[in-house]
Structures are given as structure tokens and as C-alpha cells.
């Protein structure tokens, strides 16, 4: 795998380690960690800091039945896959695209029943049952050179590349951006305007929209 060039910003990693991210955003960060040893090490460091802070807090009494409830939750949990492990997402979903956990499990268990929808020429979307409206979690499949129309974000957007690459193209509506390849995680803030263009090898990615987007008309 090529060296990753786009990582979660520091505040996003801190929120992830603290457990304060929403499920769609946490899924994007957790899946990026499967690709990125450097971010895994930073997450472990943040976990250690959090553990030290917890040890300094005064103990709180447990309610009756708390231990039994915790053990029941642990017994019902799924076994974790080692970080970085990638397998096929499953026939009929992403074909031979290799997807790491935890996203692979979501593709298996929470893929939208409505199937793929067309967002633009050469761009299809598969919604995942993750989070609540107005948030959107989806898989995007983009043909080589295909583009999402220029749009403005009302809130944060995260894009994690699973295969291929994309870039932000310059033009009258958005500034030129950088290239994002497999494993890279891009964060785009609310109010930003851009268009996403797949590379020559196409692009498959996991995208999270924290709020609605406004599609912008092309300039003459």
C-alpha cells in the first residue's frame, strides 16, 4: 500500500478516543486506523492518557446488577478482527474490493435495502444503516473520471478511500485540492465548496455527511 498522506485531524482523533464521535464518524476513523499504523499508535497514546485521567477520578458506586449487565453485553459482542486485516466485502456488494473491519461488518449487516442509487453520471451510492438523519453514511462507487457535481456543505464531510483515488478539481466554484488514495481520510468542513473527481482508476469510498449539501449550478 502507498504511504498515506491524509489522516484524521488531531481533534477528530481525540474525540474518537474519548468516545464522543457519532457512529458514522467513528466508523470512518476506526476503518482508517486499520490502514494507518501511525494513527493507531496515536490512538493508543490517547487511550493511555484517558486511562490515567480515569484512574485519578474518585470511584463511583455501581448500581445493583451493573456487573451482570456488563457481562451479558460482553458475551453478546462480536470478536474483533486484528487491525489492518482486509477481506472481500462480499459478493454483490463491492465485488473484489478489500475492506477492513469494522467497515466490512457494516457492509454485511447494515447495507441499505433499497440498493444502489445514481447520484450523477458514473457515480452510485449505497446507503448504510448508520446514524440518524440528517446524517448520511454511504458507499460511493465512481467510474474513472466521474465527478460529483459542485456542492456546498452545511456541516462536516468525511471521505475514506477504499480503492482507487479522487481529487478536488479547480474551477469557478472550488479551489484545486489534493489527491486522496486508498486508506486516506479527508475531512471537509461545513461551508466548504468543492467537487470530487475520481482518478483514472475510479474510486470506491465511504462517505459521511453530517448535514445536507447544496448542489451548485455550473457557471457559464
Amino acid at each position: 500500500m502507498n504511504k498515506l498522506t491524509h489522516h484524521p485531524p488531531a481533534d477528530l482523533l481525540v474525540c474518537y478516543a474519548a468516545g464522543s464521535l457519532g457512529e458514522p464518524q467513528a466508523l470512518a476513523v476506526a476503518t482508517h486506523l486499520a490502514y494507518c499504523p501511525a494513527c493507531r499508535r496515536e490512538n493508543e497514546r490517547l487511550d493511555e492518557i484517558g486511562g490515567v485521567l480515569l484512574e485519578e477520578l474518585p470511584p463511583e458506586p455501581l448500581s445493583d446488577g451493573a456487573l451482570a449487565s456488563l457481562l451479558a453485553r460482553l458475551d453478546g459482542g462480536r470478536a474483533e478482527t486484528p487491525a489492518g486485516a482486509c477481506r472481500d466485502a462480499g459478493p454483490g456488494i463491492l465485488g473484489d474490493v478489500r475492506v477492513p473491519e469494522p467497515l466490512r461488518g457494516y457492509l454485511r449487516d447494515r447495507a441499505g435495502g433499497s440498493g444502489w442509487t445514481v447520484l450523477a453520471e458514473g457515480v452510485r451510492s449505497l446507503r448504510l444503516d448508520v446514524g440518524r438523519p440528517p446524517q448520511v453514511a454511504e458507499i460511493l462507487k465512481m467510474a474513472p473520471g466521474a465527478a460529483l457535481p459542485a456542492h456546498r456543505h452545511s456541516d462536516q464531510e468525511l471521505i475514506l478511500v477504499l480503492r482507487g483515488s479522487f481529487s478536488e478539481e479547480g474551477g469557478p466554484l472550488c479551489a484545486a485540492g489534493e489527491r486522496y488514495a486508498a486508506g486516506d481520510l479527508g475531512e471537509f468542513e461545513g461551508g466548504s465548496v468543492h467537487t470530487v473527481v475520481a482518478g483514472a482508476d475510479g474510486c470506491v469510498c465511504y462517505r459521511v455527511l453530517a448535514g445536507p449539501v447544496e448542489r451548485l449550478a455550473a457557471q457559464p
Side-chain angles (χ1 to χ4, degrees):
M1 178 183 293
N2 295 330
K3 182 178 180 180
L4 303 183
T5 56
H6 298 277
H7 307 270
D11 59 338
L12 202 64
L13 274 178
V14 169
C15 290
Y16 175 77
S20 60
L21 284 183
E23 186 179 9
Q25 291 81 8
L27 178 58
V29 175
T31 306
H32 171 79
L33 295 182
Y35 289 101
C36 183
C39 286
R40 287 201 299 273
R41 289 192 295 269
E42 177 63 12
N43 182 64
E44 291 169 358
R45 187 184 74 86
L46 292 171
D47 281 343
E48 290 175 359
I49 293 174
V52 171
L53 293 175
L54 284 175
E55 289 178 356
E56 295 178 351
L57 293 175
E60 290 285 341
L62 292 176
S63 61
D64 293 341
L67 179 58
S69 176
L70 175 60
L71 293 175
R73 290 173 60 188
L74 292 175
D75 289 341
R78 294 187 297 185
E80 295 184 357
T81 299
C86 294
R87 301 175 185 169
D88 293 347
I93 301 178
L94 292 183
D96 62 348
V97 178
R98 298 177 71 80
V99 179
E101 289 285 13
L103 180 56
R104 186 173 71 248
Y106 278 78
L107 284 173
R108 181 181 61 245
D109 300 335
R110 302 200 189 186
S114 58
W116 294 92
T117 59
V118 177
L119 298 184
E121 184 176 356
V123 182
R124 295 190 295 158
S125 164
L126 178 67
R127 292 287 182 93
L128 300 181
D129 182 18
V130 185
R132 297 179 179 179
Q135 295 190 84
V136 171
E138 62 187 351
I139 299 295
L140 293 183
K141 289 185 70 173
M142 304 178 68
L148 284 170
H151 54 278
R152 178 182 290 110
H153 291 285
S154 65
D155 208 330
Q156 178 197 62
E157 176 188 40
L158 298 177
I159 305 180
L160 173 68
V161 181
L162 305 173
R163 172 183 278 188
S165 63
F166 77 85
S167 63
E168 296 176 286
E169 292 292 323
L173 294 174
C174 62
E178 298 184 27
R179 180 177 179 272
Y180 295 75
D184 281 334
L185 178 64
E187 182 198 37
F188 307 97
E189 297 179 350
S192 61
V193 175
H194 69 169
T195 182
V196 173
V197 182
D201 46 359
C203 186
V204 179
C205 56
Y206 170 64
R207 180 169 79 152
V208 178
L209 298 173
V213 297
E214 174 191 359
R215 183 166 174 170
L216 302 177
Q219 296 293 324

